Every structure is written in structure tokens, then in C-alpha cells.
Amino acid sequence: MAGDEVYWPDELFADLDRTGPVPLYFQVSSRLQEAIRSGAIPGGARLDNEISISQRLGLSRPTVRRAIQEVVDKGLLVRRRGIGTQVVQGQVTRQVELTSLYEDLQSAHHEPGTTVLAHDTVPATAVVAEKLGVAKGSDVIYLRRQRRTDGVPVAVLENYLPPEFADITTGQLESHGLYQVLRARGVTIRVAQQKIGARRAQGDEGELLDIEKGGPVLTMERVAYDNSGRAIEYGHHCYRPDMYSFETTLVAK
Amino acid sequence: MAGDEVYWPDELFADLDRTGPVPLYFQVSSRLQEAIRSGAIPGGARLDNEISISQRLGLSRPTVRRAIQEVVDKGLLVRRRGIGTQVVQGQVTRQVELTSLYEDLQSAHHEPGTTVLAHDTVPATAVVAEKLGVAKGSDVIYLRRQRRTDGVPVAVLENYLPPEFADITTGQLESHGLYQVLRARGVTIRVAQQKIGARRAQGDEGELLDIEKGGPVLTMERVAYDNSGRAIEYGHHCYRPDMYSFETTLVAK
DNA sequence: AAGTGGTCTAGACCACATC
DNA sequence: ATGTGGTCTAGACCACTTA
């Protein structure tokens, strides 16, 4: 009765690579996630305890704990002291990643398209200057783009960037996402603060999104920071609500 | 030149409690966050390295690492191998926590109010049954509430719960948030999956939110799971966009 | 009493960035 | 060559849950 319904498919973890660059905890957590998402470990199942797992995998307990914790943080597992570790029931959705809309659409196997509506150097307003951490009135890059998927308009994107990105070309922006362009220049976005809301379509947004004038749009405002904590991008975007939404998984600490 | 602008206010960490129930890493990370949010450690500052910190605090390096990692995960710090740890520049906003709207409003020092519009036992539709993991057509609790802050309507909330919560009273719901009522019964929400979007106000929502008929509303759909991974609540809510928005901090892994 | 996850230690070696 | 964070080990003790 003690060991009822304890799942731990050892065979999934048989060939861990101890020499390559991929951390052991990452190899374990990846395969564990895959096993849960695929249903190989069913919802509600209890996992074996940490000590037993670490012995069977030939890993230390901290390493196994870290692997499990990664999966807990993604909302697929739940841990209780004195009880054990269980798989969350119900269908799982993928996490909101720190990627641009362009990559979101790409990974969803659609054909993204971009029209650059504006691409200028403008003086920073008070708001833009504060968000980017530059002097008010100093030069910043202003972008306005229409984003489509399979020919259907999805979003109108307005971005402000520091002046060092003045040499980004319109052509680059029409064939790649902004974050891809930045990454190709060695800039990695590490942290972003987002605010999601809704309002009526304003000005030419209705036309650009091909929706009724004054119809509802989903809005997102974002400030993104690079490796060193410097603000790299400030944007406020609006999305066609029938074409896009935001998904999140929250885990209580 | 080596030790330029390295911040680490030792005095903030002088009196750590090694006997109480609060983990050491938590004490350190809390005070570190407070120091950053208050500006005591300014944006862009470099932190001292982990070994040095652990020696000065009399803690092991893993404990210090864990404390720092907590702050990194909240988007306040950025770490780079071979470089060090730096404070993210720009104003910081607080994290979206796994709390109910009621508690959000409470903590913002406003006076929340609730009107229960419906409180019934109904047969589960196919969608509700799937989300809650119960049989289609079986009894579930249906709630519809209007939420106000300082007398102004903010949201219309529709929730479905498993039948074991049939004894929740309308009175409880009018003076507390749903999550507070659940917690008082020993149910702790641990994981939630949310989807945020926008649409036009439908039916009586315009009246209930005191906005124009057909005006935009912000929507949120959520499934919440307890300690053991069981689905406890399914809801779809709509919010007055001028009264509410969702803020998130994303950190790349 | 037995079993579980939660915390903490004191090291070790490595990969990466800078000088 | 040096300094940084990233990973990993092999234990220890504790708090909590269940029986």
C-alpha cells in the first residue's frame, strides 16, 4: 500500500550526457516536462521521492531537486512537505516566453509579415525619456509597424529605441522581428515589464487592423532591459483581440 | 580600479535570525529587494561577488546564491558570468501575484465591494466539465458577481467550482474575495493558468460596468489548481479597461 | 515512528569575460 | 592570469504529514 501509483520512468533518464555543455538538471527537467506534457506521467500521479530518484539516476539530491523545481515553476508539478510531489491535473498550456510577437507567430507555423509605417529619429518626449533612461528631447529611434499573419493584420506596434540603433534598416525590420535584429547585434533582452489592457481603436488603427472603427483592441506596453540592466526598448502596441491573446501560468511561492 | 562602485550595505544584513522559522535566504533576499526598491542600492550598481558576500554574512555560498536568484527572478537584478551582478535600471513595478482581484484592490488601499448576481447549482457544460475535471452534466457551483472599488464598478466575475463548495454562502462572498473564502476552508491555490484578451461588452455587462453599450472590456479566463494539483476554480471575467490592467515582469531563463 | 520535502553547509571544478 | 557566476557533490538537520 505504501508505494501505490508512484511514477518514475527510469528509462527516460538512462542516457544523460555528463560531458556536454547541457547541465544535468536541465536534461532531467526537460525530459520530465516532456513526459508530463505527453501524458507518459498522467495528471494526479505521484512522483517517487527525491532521495530515491537521485540514487537511481546517479545524481546528487540538490541536482534532482533543481530539476524538479524547474518543472514546479512551470506549473506542471506541485510539491507538499511530508506528502510528496504530484502532477497537476488538467491540460497544460505553454508558458509566455520573453520573445517578440514575430517569433510567437513564426513558432505557431504561420507566415508573419511586416509593413514599416514609420522609421524616424525623433526627440524623446518626457515619457519616452524616462522609460529609456535618456535625456528629454535627445534623439531616439521611433518605429511604427503593422504585423500580419497569413495576410491578416494582427497588431500595430510602436517602439522607441536608444540612438545607437540608428543604423537598423527598414529592410531588416520587414524580414525579422525586432528582438531578432537586436540579438544579431549582440543585444540580449533579459528582463521586461509589461502592462496589458484594452481600449477602443484610435486614429488609423481600425483601418490598419481591419476592424470596425472604435472597436476593441488589446494593448500592451513594455519596457525591455538587456544583460546589463539598461533599458533597450519601450513600446506600446495594440492587437486585434480575435487574433491574439496573452497566456500566463502563475505559481504561488 | 578593480573595486569601483561595488555596493553591498553590510549593515542591512547584520541581524539575521538563525533560530526563527524564516529561512536565511529569504531574509537576505527580502532585504536586498527592499534596498533596491528604496534606491539604497541604485540602478546600474554592481553587487559584490558571491564568495565575498557569503564570507561577510557568515553564510554558505549556495544560500547567498539562492537569495540573489530570488531577486533576479523578480527582474530587479541581472547576472552575467565572468562579469558580476548588476541592478536593473528604471523604475520597478511590483509583480503580478497569485491573488484574487479582491485582495489586489484591498492592498491598493481602496474599499472593495461585491454584489452577488447569481449563486446556483447548475449542470456542468462540456467546457466547464473539462476545465474542472468533472463529469459533463454533473452539479457544479455557478457564481456571478459584480466587483466595485470605492463604489465604481470594476469587473463582472463568473466562476464555476466543484460541488463540494455548495455550502459557501452569498454573505461570505459579499464580504470576502473568493480566494479568501477558499483559504478559510483550508484550500490553497497553488497554480493558475490565465488567458488575457479583449472584446466588446455583451448583454448586461455594459450596464453592470457603467460603460457604453458595446464598449471595450478586458477579459481574463483562468483555471486554478490547489496543493494537490486538482482543479478548484474556472472563471471568465471582464474588467473595465479604464479601471484595471495586468502587469507582469518577464525574465529570460 | 517513518517518510516526505525544505534548508543549509563546505567544499570542488568548470565556462566565460577581462586584463 | 585573474575574477566572475554556473554547476555539482555528499552529506546534515529540520518541519511537516500520515499512520
Side-chain angles (χ1 to χ4, degrees), chain A residues 133-201:
Chain A
V134 301
K136 183 181 168 185
S138 68
D139 282 351
V140 294
I141 314 301
Y142 169 67
L143 294 178
R144 188 159 191 253
R145 294 168 293 161
Q146 180 206 47
R147 179 63 45 82
R148 296 177 305 279
T149 180
D150 297 329
V152 181
V154 175
V156 176
L157 314 169
E158 286 191 318
N159 291 92
Y160 297 87
L161 293 90
E164 61 185 279
F165 298 105
D167 56 326
I168 290 177
T169 67
T170 301
Q172 287 176 307
L173 292 168
E174 289 188 329
S175 55
H176 299 89
L178 177 57
Y179 282 20
Q180 288 176 319
V181 172
L182 292 174
R183 207 176 304 129
R185 298 169 53 112
V187 176
T188 310
I189 299 298
R190 213 41 154 328
V191 180
Q193 291 162 2
Q194 299 189 162
K195 187 173 172 177
I196 299 169
R199 59 168 167 78
R200 286 189 185 280

Side-chain angles (χ1 to χ4, degrees), chain A residues 8-29:
Chain A
W8 187 259
D10 267 324
E11 63 277 13
L12 278 177
F13 305 91
D15 52 338
L16 296 174
D17 177 12
R18 303 186 86 99
T19 63
V22 182
L24 290 168
Y25 77 85
F26 189 86
Q27 296 180 47
V28 173
S29 78

Side-chain angles (χ1 to χ4, degrees), chain B residues 3-252:
Chain B
D4 266 314
E5 306 183 15
V6 171
Y7 283 76
W8 188 261
D10 267 325
E11 63 276 14
L12 278 177
F13 305 91
D15 53 339
L16 297 174
D17 176 12
R18 303 185 86 98
T19 63
V22 182
L24 289 169
Y25 77 86
F26 189 86
Q27 296 180 47
V28 173
S29 79
S30 302
R31 300 189 199 187
L32 184 51
Q33 283 178 60
E34 177 53 29
I36 294 171
R37 288 187 203 275
S38 72
I41 307 180
R46 244 185 75 221
L47 253 53
D48 201 356
N49 69 73
E50 299 174 347
I51 310 254
S52 167
I53 291 173
S54 59
Q55 285 171 348
R56 283 201 271 164
L57 297 190
L59 299 172
S60 70
R61 189 185 162 202
T63 300
V64 170
R65 265 189 74 76
R66 176 155 185 193
I68 293 176
Q69 188 59 47
E70 296 262 319
V71 186
V72 170
D73 288 341
K74 300 206 171 178
L76 299 179
L77 289 176
V78 170
R79 286 208 274 207
R80 280 183 292 174
R81 168 153 40 178
I83 305 281
T85 305
Q86 282 176 290
V87 178
V88 169
Q89 302 189 338
Q91 73 297 335
V92 281
T93 63
R94 72 179 186 292
Q95 194 93 321
V96 172
E97 301 287 347
L98 188 41
T99 54
S100 66
L101 175 59
Y102 193 89
E103 289 159 281
D104 279 1
L105 298 176
Q106 266 189 336
S107 63
H109 302 295
H110 292 293
E111 194 56 41
T114 304
T115 301
V116 176
L117 306 167
H119 185 173
D120 303 302
T121 299
V122 301
T125 65
V127 170
V128 170
E130 186 208 340
K131 302 283 186 187
L132 289 183
V134 301
K136 183 180 169 184
S138 69
D139 282 350
V140 294
I141 313 301
Y142 168 67
L143 293 178
R144 188 160 190 252
R145 294 168 294 161
Q146 181 205 47
R147 179 63 46 82
R148 296 176 306 278
T149 180
D150 297 330
V152 181
V154 175
V156 176
L157 313 170
E158 286 190 320
N159 292 92
Y160 297 87
L161 293 92
E164 63 186 275
F165 298 105
D167 56 326
I168 290 177
T169 67
T170 301
Q172 287 176 305
L173 293 168
E174 289 188 329
S175 54
H176 300 89
L178 177 57
Y179 281 20
Q180 289 176 319
V181 172
L182 292 174
R183 209 176 302 129
R185 299 170 53 112
V187 176
T188 309
I189 300 297
R190 215 36 157 331
V191 180
Q193 291 163 1
Q194 301 189 161
K195 185 173 173 178
I196 300 169
R199 58 168 169 78
R200 287 188 185 280
Q202 302 169 346
D204 58 356
E205 290 168 356
E207 285 172 48
L208 289 168
L209 292 177
D210 194 19
I211 59 178
E212 253 180 290
K213 202 161 151 50
V217 293
L218 186 63
T219 64
M220 192 260 277
E221 196 182 326
R222 169 162 69 184
V223 185
Y225 303 85
D226 73 356
N227 272 339
S228 68
R230 200 169 75 97
I232 292 297
E233 177 241 336
Y234 167 60
H236 40 86
H237 304 161
C238 64
Y239 303 85
R240 239 179 88 162
D242 59 337
M243 295 293 292
Y244 199 72
S245 61
F246 295 92
E247 295 184 15
T248 324
T249 299
L250 297 178
V251 180

Side-chain angles (χ1 to χ4, degrees), chain A residues 73-100:
Chain A
D73 288 341
K74 301 207 171 177
L76 300 179
L77 289 177
V78 171
R79 286 207 274 208
R80 281 181 293 174
R81 171 155 34 183
I83 305 284
T85 305
Q86 281 177 292
V87 178
V88 169
Q89 302 190 339
Q91 75 296 337
V92 281
T93 63
R94 72 177 186 293
Q95 193 91 322
V96 172
E97 300 287 345
L98 188 40
T99 55
S100 66

Side-chain angles (χ1 to χ4, degrees), chain A:
Chain A
M1 297 202 188
D4 265 315
E5 305 183 16
V6 172
Y7 283 76
W8 187 259
D10 267 324
E11 63 277 13
L12 278 177
F13 305 91
D15 52 338
L16 296 174
D17 177 12
R18 303 186 86 99
T19 63
V22 182
L24 290 168
Y25 77 85
F26 189 86
Q27 296 180 47
V28 173
S29 78
S30 302
R31 300 190 199 186
L32 185 50
Q33 282 177 62
E34 178 52 30
I36 294 170
R37 289 188 202 273
S38 73
I41 307 180
R46 246 186 74 219
L47 254 53
D48 201 357
N49 69 73
E50 299 174 346
I51 310 257
S52 167
I53 291 172
S54 57
Q55 286 171 348
R56 283 201 271 165
L57 297 190
L59 299 172
S60 70
R61 186 181 164 207
T63 300
V64 170
R65 265 188 74 78
R66 177 154 184 192
I68 294 176
Q69 188 59 47
E70 295 262 320
V71 186
V72 170
D73 288 341
K74 301 207 171 177
L76 300 179
L77 289 177
V78 171
R79 286 207 274 208
R80 281 181 293 174
R81 171 155 34 183
I83 305 284
T85 305
Q86 281 177 292
V87 178
V88 169
Q89 302 190 339
Q91 75 296 337
V92 281
T93 63
R94 72 177 186 293
Q95 193 91 322
V96 172
E97 300 287 345
L98 188 40
T99 55
S100 66
L101 174 58
Y102 192 88
E103 290 159 280
D104 279 0
L105 298 176
Q106 265 188 338
S107 63
H109 302 294
H110 292 293
E111 193 57 40
T114 304
T115 301
V116 176
L117 306 169
H119 184 173
D120 302 302
T121 299
V122 300
T125 64
V127 170
V128 171
E130 186 208 341
K131 301 283 187 188
L132 289 183
V134 301
K136 183 181 168 185
S138 68
D139 282 351
V140 294
I141 314 301
Y142 169 67
L143 294 178
R144 188 159 191 253
R145 294 168 293 161
Q146 180 206 47
R147 179 63 45 82
R148 296 177 305 279
T149 180
D150 297 329
V152 181
V154 175
V156 176
L157 314 169
E158 286 191 318
N159 291 92
Y160 297 87
L161 293 90
E164 61 185 279
F165 298 105
D167 56 326
I168 290 177
T169 67
T170 301
Q172 287 176 307
L173 292 168
E174 289 188 329
S175 55
H176 299 89
L178 177 57
Y179 282 20
Q180 288 176 319
V181 172
L182 292 174
R183 207 176 304 129
R185 298 169 53 112
V187 176
T188 310
I189 299 298
R190 213 41 154 328
V191 180
Q193 291 162 2
Q194 299 189 162
K195 187 173 172 177
I196 299 169
R199 59 168 167 78
R200 286 189 185 280
Q202 303 169 344
D204 58 355
E205 289 168 355
E207 285 172 49
L208 290 169
L209 293 176
D210 194 19
I211 58 177
E212 253 181 290
K213 201 161 151 50
V217 294
L218 186 63
T219 65
M220 192 259 279
E221 196 182 326
R222 169 162 68 185
V223 186
Y225 303 86
D226 72 357
N227 272 339
S228 69
R230 200 170 75 97
I232 292 297
E233 178 241 335
Y234 167 59
H236 40 85
H237 305 161
C238 63
Y239 303 85
R240 239 179 88 161
D242 59 337
M243 295 293 292
Y244 200 72
S245 61
F246 294 92
E247 294 183 15
T248 324
T249 300
L250 297 179
V251 180
K253 294 297 171 67

